Every structure is written in structure tokens, then in C-alpha cells.
Amino acid sequence: MRTQLSSPSGNIEVNFSLLEGGYPAYSVSHQETLIIDTSTMGFEFKDQAAMRNGFEIIGTYLSSLDETWEMPWGEQRSVRNHYNELKVSLIEVNALQRELHIYFRVYDDGVAFRYYFPKQEGVDDLIIMDEHTEFKLIQDHQCWWTPGDWDIYEHLYYTSFFSEIDALSKRDHPDLVQTYIPENAVNTPITMRTDTGLHLSFHEASLINYAGMTLKVDTENLRMKSELVGSDRLGYKVKCALPFSTPWRSIQISEDAGGLIESNLIVNLNESSQLEDISWFSPMKYMGIWWEMHLGISTWDLEATQDMSTSGKKKISGSKHGATTENAKKYIDFASQNNIKGLLVEGWNTGWDHWIGFEEREGVFDFITPYPDYDLEEVVRYGKEKGVNLIMHHETSAAPRTYEQQMDSAYSLMQTLEIHTVKTGYVGKIIPRGEYHHGQWMVNHYNNTMIKASAYQIAVNAHEPIKATGLRRTFPNMISREGLRGQEFNAWSSDGGNPPEHLPIIAFTRMLGGPIDYTPGIFNIKLSPYKEENQVNTTIAQQLALFVVIYSPVQMAADLIESYQGQSAFQFIRDVGVDWEQSKVLNGEVGDYVTIARQERGTGNWFIGGITDENERNVTLNFDFLDKGRIYKVRVYRDGDDAHWNDNPNSIIIEEIPLEHGAEHSFSMAAGGGFVISLIAED
């Protein structure tokens, strides 16, 4: 029976075997070089014997698929899904004779496997206490990792060798309102680079009705093992009725860093779309009544009793409610004049005066009742008149049962008002106690929210979410999510904000999972006069580049209106696209720099963005991807010669240069800086 499988081009190979004692195991090679050593697989159950050994192979089955599918929105229009698959059927030789099937898929850009539990005689469901999936490394690779927190993904990414990973030292963080790190484990994706320059990223795909997976780190033996997020309330990790499949365990493999970003492994491992029509959602740029709260200018709650920009720890006076009809109209006017099609309004509904820092948060928020100074219907009407669509905001305060009780009425209201996008939030420790943001119970909540929203023609941008695992292919109304340390940390964190290396790491780690609502476009880098003790640790040119580099189909121009007025660099935000025909990574190294070019759907325009870490650098680009013979109006926005993320972040040069197919040109980036290029096709 065949237990070896190669990718379509033959560059990657998986070998499955049963070790002595019937332990299932696998290994992975790239270009005939072992990259994942023999790694075992298995499960621990409640009230049943473990399923780890004593197996024999009763059958194998080979298949292949080569298809091309179209993204309704995304980094590219056409996606090739080409793999070879091996199904291995196992049965225990003991009296239980339970069956387990393991599916391996091997692509030219990686490998994935999942477990399938068929119906078993006398067994209706399984309660999983632990999954024992191993990843045995060959060497002590350099890694970019974030702690295996069961409750939040808003830690920084750290750079170290695998043997130096210490997640437990990151347990205490004054700026996180919820966090739980029980093991020396990492969250996924975790990205690694071997000493030969091969890049690996470990993640999971199609996370449905299962607990999120962290990876427990054995630094001495260079091994990772799956550690599922559990439920203290229920006392287990996963409960599933038979038959069922686990999520895919994935390893992206690339000979250079840019290949990780260009890989479509994660979305390809998900099922095709279940939505017949997604035409009601259009990618867009948006503004928001949001940043002003983080700066302490206005408040979410009507009574202005809490300054949420300091995590709710400080009472304030003399502030004002941000979500007023008058303020919303001001943003709508500015957006309509500047090719921005959406407006997010936070703090519009009752409940904000009693939501964070309070133990009893169930029943606090009302998702259909505005504060008296906010006329929801009038704001929607005015926005439609100006060509600006409202983005609804539903902060749940991590009380999902309250949200579930009101979902139908909240979504019906949105449907009546023809509002097609909602930003959800889950700040705080999950209620009921004993559940975590990334356990099975909450995974099901997030996914059920997405499914219910689709029935009302609503797209979801989730904050404090479960990780992105490619489900946007199956449910393309799951448009974006947070799930990282975002821009707002620059406004109020106590540790100096996101360092310059943060986003050059994010592009090769978190972004591999899917779109990110990072909220770029801050022009008032020093946050003066509002937060003199804080700042954004980039140049203005890098803030522009984030609209291209950090992908999302909804991109926020996040700063205040006053910060954009009279700024010539704002022209790039007016021009830049949000929906792409194709994307190309032109260069990059994890944690150092990256340059990405994206071609806009429908126009043929190209937009190129480059960002760097705390080091200044020059990059040379070859423009052989441009259409031959096509004329472009080219505008470059780059760091000034004296620019620096801390010393002179506002220095920017805007110039027009000639570029055509095949041209080469060098661009400089200041420390913490970047550049963007708009190439507007001329007919």
C-alpha cells in the first residue's frame, strides 16, 4: 500500500508510517532534504481509551485535484488549487477496533493533514481531552512567534531561535484586559527560517466546530505538539458527534520569504463558497468615529465617565460623546469628498457606560437602541445621499450569549437600513466564566455569527476574534478581522507602542492566515497634542504603504479629519485600491522589510508599497510585471532624505518619475519608513 506522497512538481514529499507498536507517524521532505523528522499523531479522550498506538493500515487511497477558482474579492482574482492527496485508513488491532482516517494533501507550496473519525459501533460522540500532533524540527531554526494565549492574539511577535522560546515570560502585560498562557506554547501562524534559507510557517485551516490549536514548545528536543484551547467550564477541549473531521494542520514551505505571502495554501484547504451571491458587499476604504476615542478627545459612552483609551482605569471629565449625528455627518462629508465609501461609528448604542471593568456584563449592550444624541436613520439617510455607507458596530463586551439573543433583531435592523457591514468586538474575559476566546464554544460562536450574518446579507469584520483559517473562501462575508496587536496600541500602550519591526514581521506571520483590519493611515505621528507620551513608530510614508502591504478588503483611513486636511500625501489614500486582480511580493525578509505590488481589479492600475524596520535601506525594483506598451502616470511618495520614524517622521517627498515595463529603479526607505508608488493606467 502506498504511504508516500509527492506534490505535483515533486518538490515536497510526505511519508506516512506506523512505528513499532502501531504508532502513526509522518515526515516531510523538501527537495529530498528532510525538514520535518518522524512525528507522531494521536488523541486522548474522556471516558475512552487513548487513540495513539496499536494501529494497522487497512487501506490507502490516492487522488489529485487541479482546479482554478475565483475570489469574489481578495489579493487576486484567480486561485489555482493543485494538490495530490493520500488517504490512510487505520484500525486498532485491539478489542476496540476503532477506525481513524488521516488525509494528507501535498501542494507545491506546502503540506497539510487532517483527521477523520468515521461512525463507530456503539459510539455517538467523542470528547477530546488532548490532540497529540507533533512537528519534529531538524534544526534550531530562527522563529517569529507570539505566545500561545488562549484568550488574545494581541501580543507582540518575538524573534528568537526555537530553543529560546519562552512564552511564559510574557504572561503579565498591563495593556491586555484578558490573557491566559498556561504552557510554554506559541499561537499560529509561527514562521521559521532554516540555516539554508528555507521558510516554514505552521498554522491550521478550516477551523470549524473544534478548539483553536496552540503549539506547545519542547525547546530541548526541538519539537512542537498541538495544545488545544480548553474549556474550564465544561472540562474538556472538544466534543463532536461522529462522523467528524478536524481542521487541517498546515505547513507552508517556501524557498524565500515572499513565497509565504504569495501562497494560497490556507484558503485552498477550505471548501468552496456556500454563498451564491456576495454582490451586496464591495471592498472599500472607510473612516470612523474611533481614533478620537483612543486619543481621549471623545468617549464611547454618553456620560463620559470612563476614558477607554486607558483601558477603562481612569475617570475623566469635560469630554464629549463621539457618536453624535453632527459628528457622523462631518465625517460623511469629508469621506464623500475623498473617494472613501464607508463610515464606522462606535459608541452609538446604549450600554457603553457599563461594559469594561464590570464583572456582570451580560445584558449590558442593546444593539438596536441608539443614544439620544445619535439619529441612526438620519445618519444612514445622509450617508446614502453622499455615497457613503454606514458600517455598524456591535461591541459584545465578551458576553456572546447577550449578542446571540439580539442577533436577529440587530441584523434585521441593519437589513432594513441597507447596512451590509458590521464590525464586532469581544473585549474582556468571556462570559460565562471558564470559556476562552479561542476554545470550541467560542469558535462555534464566531462561525455561527458569520453564517447568520450571511443570511441577512451582512459582512463581518471581527475584532478580538478567533484566528483566520481561510474560511473566507467558504463564507466570503467573513471579510476581515483584527487578531493582532493593532494600531490603537500606539495611542495608549505603556510599553512604547508597536516597534518599527512589528509590521515587517506581521506580513510574514499573522497575515498568512488572512486579511487584517490594522487601521492604517495615521498622519499625526506624534499624536500631538492629545497623547504626548505616545506616538506611532513609523514615518508617514510607511503609513501610506500599509494600505498596500497589510491586506484587507476594508481599509480604514484611521486618523482624524484635521490630520488629513491640507496634506498632499493624502492623495495616495484617495487613489489607492482595495480589491486586487493580482498581487506580487517583489522582495522581503521576515522582520526586516517587504515590498508588495498589487494590481487593482477593473482599472489595471498598480499600487506598490514597501516598509522597513528600524533600519534604513535601499531596494531595487524591476517593473517587468507592468503591461508592455502601456502608459502609466506614476507618482512616488517616499521618505524624505532626513526622515526617521522617531526624529523626523513627517518628512516625505512626492514626485513623478517615468516607469514602464522592464524598467529598474531604486528606492530608499528611512528607519521605520517606507514608500508607495501609484501607477495609474492611461488609456
Side-chain angles (χ1 to χ4, degrees):
M1 287 181 283
R2 180 86 173 269
T3 56
Q4 183 182 72
L5 185 69
S6 296
S7 66
S9 72
N11 67 323
I12 298 173
E13 183 178 276
V14 169
N15 281 278
F16 176 82
S17 62
L18 289 178
L19 306 182
E20 184 177 353
Y23 288 86
Y26 74 99
S27 63
V28 181
S29 299
H30 176 265
Q31 302 292 18
E32 300 183 351
T33 298
L34 192 67
I35 57 173
I36 301 296
D37 207 345
T38 302
S39 302
T40 58
M41 318 161 94
F43 290 87
E44 300 278 349
F45 304 114
K46 183 178 181 179
D47 302 326
Q48 289 192 44
M51 186 179 274
R52 301 193 67 180
N53 63 337
F55 284 105
E56 66 176 6
I57 299 174
I58 58 175
T60 62
Y61 178 75
L62 294 172
S63 61
S64 298
L65 180 68
D66 188 359
E67 65 173 1
T68 299
W69 57 278
E70 183 172 312
M71 285 186 167
W73 51 266
E75 302 95 320
Q76 63 196 79
R77 185 185 296 273
S78 297
V79 179
R80 189 181 185 190
N81 185 21
H82 190 195
Y83 63 81
N84 293 327
E85 182 174 89
L86 169 67
K87 172 187 175 183
V88 180
S89 296
L90 305 173
I91 193 169
E92 293 174 311
V93 296
N94 58 27
L96 292 177
Q97 291 194 313
R98 295 173 296 181
E99 286 190 41
L100 175 66
H101 302 168
I102 306 175
Y103 289 80
F104 293 91
R105 286 186 184 174
V106 190
Y107 298 75
D108 289 337
D109 56 348
V111 61
F113 56 90
R114 78 189 311 176
Y115 306 97
Y116 174 77
F117 293 87
K119 276 194 168 294
Q120 312 277 351
E121 186 74 28
V123 179
D124 295 323
D125 53 44
L126 292 175
I127 299 178
I128 297 175
M129 303 302 290
D130 258 315
E131 176 190 323
H132 297 290
T133 297
E134 290 185 343
F135 301 89
K136 180 71 171 67
L137 306 179
I138 299 299
Q139 298 171 334
D140 189 10
H141 304 318
Q142 188 171 21
C143 300
W144 292 268
W145 58 276
T146 190
D149 198 316
W150 287 16
D151 231 6
I152 204 163
Y153 297 124
E154 295 181 2
H155 295 269
L156 287 172
Y157 272 83
Y158 299 91
T159 304
S160 73
F161 285 102
F162 184 85
S163 61
E164 299 169 345
I165 293 175
D166 182 9
L168 296 179
S169 67
K170 314 303 180 186
R171 276 177 164 167
D172 298 320
H173 197 294
D175 300 320
L176 299 178
V177 296
Q178 74 272 352
T179 180
Y180 181 61
I181 305 173
E183 303 274 3
N184 187 21
V186 296
N187 266 325
T188 67
I190 174 176
T191 296
M192 304 182 185
R193 182 173 63 214
T194 72
D195 60 3
T196 62
L198 193 68
H199 290 75
L200 312 173
S201 187
F202 299 81
H203 192 36
E204 60 181 316
S206 192
L207 176 53
I208 299 172
N209 194 22
Y210 207 76
M213 178 183 70
T214 68
L215 293 173
K216 191 158 50 176
V217 174
D218 180 348
T219 56
E220 182 176 348
N221 295 301
L222 303 181
R223 179 177 59 187
M224 298 185 294
K225 182 186 288 187
S226 56
E227 175 76 8
L228 303 181
V229 175
S231 168
D232 295 341
R233 178 174 69 102
L234 299 173
Y236 55 75
K237 303 292 181 70
V238 173
K239 181 177 182 180
C240 286
L242 299 181
F244 80 92
S245 296
T246 70
W248 293 95
R249 280 63 188 97
S250 64
I251 310 170
Q252 288 171 267
I253 303 169
S254 177
E255 293 182 359
D256 57 39
L260 294 177
I261 298 175
E262 291 186 340
S263 167
N264 288 304
L265 180 70
I266 301 302
V267 288
N268 275 332
L269 287 166
N270 284 265
E271 299 297 323
S272 57
S273 178
Q274 293 189 17
L275 305 186
E276 294 182 3
D277 177 30
I278 193 68
S279 62
W280 42 266
F281 168 73
S282 296
M284 62 180 163
K285 289 167 285 190
Y286 72 100
M287 299 191 75
I289 299 176
W290 173 79
W291 189 239
E292 62 188 66
M293 287 87 141
H294 289 287
L295 295 179
I297 298 169
S298 63
T299 59
W300 280 273
D301 60 314
L302 182 63
E303 299 302 323
T305 57
Q306 298 183 62
D307 180 2
M308 307 314 300
S309 70
T310 57
S311 301
K313 299 175 182 176
K314 170 182 163 187
K315 291 190 176 182
I316 61 174
S317 61
S319 292
K320 63 177 183 179
H321 185 218
T324 67
T325 305
E326 180 184 8
N327 201 20
K329 287 185 174 182
K330 181 181 75 170
Y331 276 90
I332 289 170
D333 286 339
F334 184 83
S336 68
Q337 296 162 10
N338 290 284
N339 193 31
I340 296 173
K341 302 300 184 183
L343 174 67
L344 168 72
V345 178
E346 296 199 3
W348 69 275
N349 58 318
T350 59
W352 288 91
D353 53 337
H354 194 86
W355 73 290
I356 195 170
F358 293 93
E359 188 64 28
E360 298 302 325
R361 286 169 278 118
E362 287 195 301
V364 166
F365 277 114
D366 182 331
F367 300 102
I368 62 173
T369 304
Y371 278 124
D373 57 351
Y374 182 72
D375 189 333
L376 174 61
E377 287 77 10
E378 173 59 16
V379 170
V380 171
R381 184 205 65 78
Y382 191 75
K384 288 179 180 177
E385 179 183 298
K386 298 286 186 174
V388 177
N389 298 305
L390 189 66
I391 297 175
M392 185 59 79
H393 184 239
H394 291 162
E395 173 55 59
T396 69
S397 68
R401 292 184 297 199
T402 295
Y403 192 38
E404 289 169 358
Q405 290 165 4
Q406 297 185 52
M407 245 180 229
D408 282 305
S409 58
Y411 292 167
S412 292
L413 174 63
M414 290 180 62
Q415 189 176 52
T416 299
L417 296 173
E418 297 181 313
I419 301 172
H420 290 290
T421 307
V422 63
K423 173 185 173 181
T424 58
Y426 294 83
V427 175
K429 290 186 176 296
I430 295 296
I431 300 174
R433 291 183 183 179
E435 295 292 348
Y436 298 94
H437 278 72
H438 310 143
Q440 183 188 24
W441 190 75
M442 279 302 295
V443 166
N444 289 339
H445 168 81
Y446 288 117
N447 288 342
N448 290 338
T449 298
M450 171 181 64
I451 293 168
K452 181 176 283 290
S454 71
Y456 288 89
Q457 295 191 337
I458 293 171
V460 179
N461 172 16
H463 281 228
E464 297 79 41
I466 188 60
K467 69 180 79 172
T469 61
L471 280 170
R472 59 179 168 136
R473 180 186 181 190
T474 310
F475 293 96
N477 69 312
M478 184 66 252
I479 54 171
S480 195
R481 68 186 77 206
E482 190 185 37
L484 83 166
R485 185 168 153 137
Q487 183 85 270
E488 67 272 16
F489 275 78
N490 292 319
W492 44 254
S493 67
S494 61
D495 60 2
N498 301 332
E501 70 169 6
H502 180 57
L503 293 163
I505 295 176
I506 289 297
F508 298 98
T509 51
R510 159 66 182 87
M511 197 169 76
L512 303 183
I516 299 173
D517 187 32
Y518 185 75
T519 61
I522 301 302
F523 276 24
N524 181 11
I525 299 294
K526 294 293 186 177
L527 309 183
S528 177
Y530 312 109
K531 288 293 188 76
E532 300 285 0
E533 69 278 15
N534 294 92
Q535 71 173 66
V536 176
N537 299 318
T538 73
T539 65
I540 280 185
Q542 183 175 125
Q543 286 295 307
L544 295 178
L546 298 181
F547 284 89
V548 180
V549 172
I550 304 300
Y551 172 69
S552 177
V554 286
Q555 288 282 28
M556 187 180 200
D559 212 338
L560 307 177
I561 291 173
E562 295 76 13
S563 298
Y564 294 137
Q565 290 173 327
Q567 295 286 343
S568 54
F570 188 68
Q571 185 61 44
F572 182 79
I573 296 179
R574 294 187 186 101
D575 292 340
V576 68
V578 284
D579 196 20
W580 308 111
E581 184 71 29
Q582 57 178 316
S583 297
K584 297 179 179 295
V585 181
L586 304 183
N587 53 46
E589 293 293 342
V590 187
D592 294 337
Y593 69 100
V594 63
T595 308
I596 299 178
R598 304 192 194 271
Q599 185 183 38
E600 187 178 18
R601 292 195 194 191
T603 67
N605 299 335
W606 283 90
F607 299 91
I608 301 169
I611 63 174
T612 186
D613 60 3
E614 70 279 3
N615 299 303
E616 61 182 48
R617 66 184 79 239
N618 294 316
V619 294
T620 299
L621 306 184
N622 187 312
F623 291 84
D624 56 0
F625 54 86
L626 297 179
D627 293 339
K628 288 183 179 180
R630 195 160 197 180
I631 305 299
Y632 297 90
K633 181 179 180 180
V634 182
R635 182 172 289 168
V636 178
Y637 304 73
R638 63 177 177 85
D639 292 318
D641 296 338
D642 57 348
H644 184 277
W645 66 268
N646 185 53
D647 300 337
N648 196 13
N650 295 85
S651 178
I652 188 168
I653 292 174
I654 305 172
E655 58 190 358
E656 295 186 2
I657 63 173
L659 287 175
E660 60 183 10
H661 172 85
E664 280 196 356
H665 201 285
S666 295
F667 300 90
S668 61
M669 293 184 280
F675 68 94
V676 289
I677 311 169
S678 63
L679 298 102
I680 308 300
E682 297 185 353
D683 295 329

